Structures are given as structure tokens and as C-alpha cells.
Amino acid sequence: MRTYFRAEGLWDVVSREFTVPQDISNLTPEEQEQLRKNQEKDSQALSRLEAELCHEIQTLSIQTLSIINETVSSSKQAWDILKDKFQETKVKRFGKTQKLWGEYERTKMRESETGREYCLRLIQMVNRLRFYGENNTEKDVVMKILRSCTRKYDLIITIIEECKDVDKMTVADLMSSLECHDLRQMRFKMRDQGNPK
């Protein structure tokens, strides 16, 4: 949500509640226009938060929904309530990241997986770790893939390690190389099945 609000230019209204002066007749035309724009942005942000609540209604309690519907008059107030409700404690967050790191470290390619499938599965894990603020460099992920592929990739991995600069290689480059290897192997297999000897 924060990214959406920033992209739409609404984050300043959501993160810092603006106040409407009691007497707006003393405001200059520029200040009145700015107040109108802020109220419009606030309404837009509040509308977006309410729309998101409809999608997330299964995870929200009825009590939280009623608090938001009855007491909230600005997007800042709604944001603060939702942040308090869903913000994880440091202990919970630490536990989740440790679990994800354990999964990541134990992950190996399955015999039935293609190089692309394995890379995509590992990228999903890395993205979940990054969501929790953990950082894996591109090189770390590339090295993990090279270390944990099945034996059928030994030849191509040896070639990659010998001929390419692995330090500068991206996951996309590696995935492409593994995909080419898979397609080549599939082509040989189809040819061999078509011409039994």
C-alpha cells in the first residue's frame, strides 16, 4: 500500500495528517487551493484504503472494520489503525525470517524440475526474504543455484563456471543458460525416440 500511495502522490497525506483550520476565510486563495487539494488527496487515499479493506475483509475482524467505519475521518487515522493491527512484532518477524532463511538454505533442485522452474522457485523465496528486509545479492543467488542443481546439470554448470564471469552473472543470465540446456536435452531426447537404434 505504501508504494501505491507514493506512486500516486498520496503518501504525504497518509503519513502526516493535515488539519483543517477552523476559519478558512482568513486563508489566501493559494492556501485555500492547497487545502482543497489536500482534502481531495485525503479522500482519494481513504477511498483506496476502504477498497483494499474489502479485499482483505477475511483477515480483519468485524471490530476493526467497525472502528474504521465509525471513527475515522482521514486516511492518516485509517492507516494508523491498520498499521497497529497488522504490524508484526520484532520477535514474530525474526521468527519468520529465520524460517525463510532455513528453507532457502535447504532448497535444492528437484529431479523433476527444469532449470527455469527451479530458478523461479528460488526467486520467489528471495522475494519473500526481501519483503522482510533481508538482502541477498545477485551473486549469492547465482551461487546458490550453481551449488544446488541436480547432477544432470553438472556439465553445463562446469562450463558456466569455467567460461563465464560468475561474479557478474545475473540470475536471468543463468536461468537462460539452464533453459537452453534443457531445450537442447529435450531435442536430443525427441530425436533419439524418433530414430531408435
Side-chain angles (χ1 to χ4, degrees), residues 1 8 17 24 44 66-67 77 88 115 119 121 139 150:
M1 287 297 299
E8 294 297 317
E17 188 170 16
I24 59 170
Q44 188 179 358
S66 63
I67 288 171
Q77 292 169 347
E88 294 178 323
C119 288
R121 185 164 59 100
K139 181 182 173 188
T150 57

Side-chain angles (χ1 to χ4, degrees), residues 62-115:
I62 299 299
Q63 182 183 12
T64 305
L65 283 174
S66 63
I67 288 171
I68 290 172
N69 286 332
E70 294 169 11
T71 62
V72 167
S73 62
S74 73
S75 57
K76 168 73 170 137
Q77 292 169 347
W79 180 260
D80 288 343
I81 289 171
L82 291 173
K83 191 169 71 173
D84 289 343
K85 177 73 178 162
F86 289 105
Q87 195 168 33
E88 294 178 323
T89 64
K90 285 184 180 181
V91 173
K92 262 184 154 176
R93 203 171 177 83
F94 178 77
K96 283 186 179 183
T97 56
Q98 290 304 301
K99 181 181 178 218
L100 287 172
W101 273 116
E103 273 180 49
Y104 175 80
E105 289 168 359
R106 286 188 304 274
T107 299
K108 293 188 187 246
M109 181 184 256
R110 299 177 188 130
E111 288 294 329
S112 61
E113 274 182 316
T114 64

